[in-house]
Amino acid sequence: MRKPVIAGNWKMYKTIAEAVDFVSKLKPLVANATHCEVVVAPPFTALRAVAEAAKGSNIAIAAQDAHWDKEGAHTGDVSPTMLVEAGCTHVIIGHSERRQDHHETDESVNRKTKAALAAGLTPIVCVGELLAEREAGKTEQVLERQVQGGLAGLTPQDFSRIIIAYEPVWAIGTGRTATPEMAAQSHGFIRGLVRRQFGEGLAAQVRILYGGSVKPDNVGGLMAQEEIDGALVGGASLKAESFVGIVKGRRAS
Ligand code: PGA
């Protein structure tokens, strides 16, 4: 049985004060949520304060990116070891906004993923096709390239610590969610790629989250799909009520 993960990606939202306030509110609301892992990804500036505020709770802290080096002359970047020091246990890697805004490639995703693992972080590795790619019938080709490139050279032991997020780019922030069936089909395809690369055991074990306009009212349908092991949530993770609504939207049994 794979334990679902509900992760909130705050992107470039929330001051330190707002972030701490949010987590203080969230703590009691998710205290009994033992059916899933709860993760929030604040902006860099708020990581430390949010980690402090979340201490003693079941809320894990993720960064939204990490460099692949431990330290160095990389203006504006933050290393995985710095994230661990700030209180992170997880890091989102290769989000489509980073691929678009910062020209991240499958190769940089791969380097970052390995560095995050080496620092002891759990990488949440994002993949997903553009609208034009879906319309051109290239979804599987894109996912294959991203999964194989992003996860190249990982040992099975490394891979066992990874979470994958399938986020069709056309569904992010658009209010246009993939149907549960459409998402499950892509998840099944990704799991098949994992099976080919790492074998049946790890394919059965890896958590694949869906991301793209997940809301309290559509999470139930998505989570009812056996292939979908949780959600990476942007917009609807910014308000405690809607995020909690998603955390409580269980997998139907
Ligand atoms: P959204 O973002 O929920 O606002 O569509 C999801 C994401 O970018 O991870």
Side-chain angles (χ1 to χ4, degrees), residues 9 11 95 97 167 171-174 211-215 232-236:
N9 173 13
K11 309 191 178 185
H95 189 279
E97 285 153 13
E167 299 204 303
I172 296 179
T174 56
S213 300
V214 176
K215 307 264 179 309
L232 181 55
V233 189

Side-chain angles (χ1 to χ4, degrees), residues 54-85:
K55 261 197 186 138
S57 76
N58 53 344
I59 304 167
I61 313 301
Q64 298 173 18
D65 178 44
H67 198 270
W68 52 75
D69 277 344
K70 278 204 186 96
E71 58 180 13
H74 301 294
T75 303
D77 280 315
V78 178
S79 81
T81 42
M82 291 168 178
L83 297 176
V84 171
E85 189 195 20

Side-chain angles (χ1 to χ4, degrees), residues 26 32 36 53 59 70 84 111 123 125 140 146 155 169 188 234 242:
L26 186 65
N32 297 324
C36 70
I59 304 167
K70 278 204 186 96
V84 171
R111 293 179 78 178
V125 180
E140 296 192 344
Q146 292 178 335
T155 64
V169 180
S242 53

Side-chain angles (χ1 to χ4, degrees), residues 87-134:
C88 293
T89 50
H90 293 63
V91 58
I92 299 170
I93 307 260
H95 189 279
S96 64
E97 285 153 13
R98 302 243 12 126
R99 292 179 191 256
Q100 273 172 356
D101 299 351
H102 299 275
H103 311 292
E104 293 201 8
T105 61
D106 296 326
E107 197 209 337
S108 65
V109 168
N110 187 240
R111 293 179 78 178
K112 289 176 175 206
T113 300
K114 286 176 176 162
L117 286 164
L121 292 165
T122 299
I124 303 174
V125 180
C126 302
V127 297
E129 79 286 358
L130 302 169
L131 182 60
E133 291 166 336
R134 173 161 287 265

Side-chain angles (χ1 to χ4, degrees), residues 4-26:
V5 179
I6 304 294
N9 173 13
W10 295 356
K11 309 191 178 185
M12 202 169 70
Y13 291 101
K14 293 193 190 295
T15 62
I16 297 174
E18 288 165 350
V20 168
D21 183 55
F22 179 98
V23 166
S24 311
K25 273 201 199 115
L26 186 65

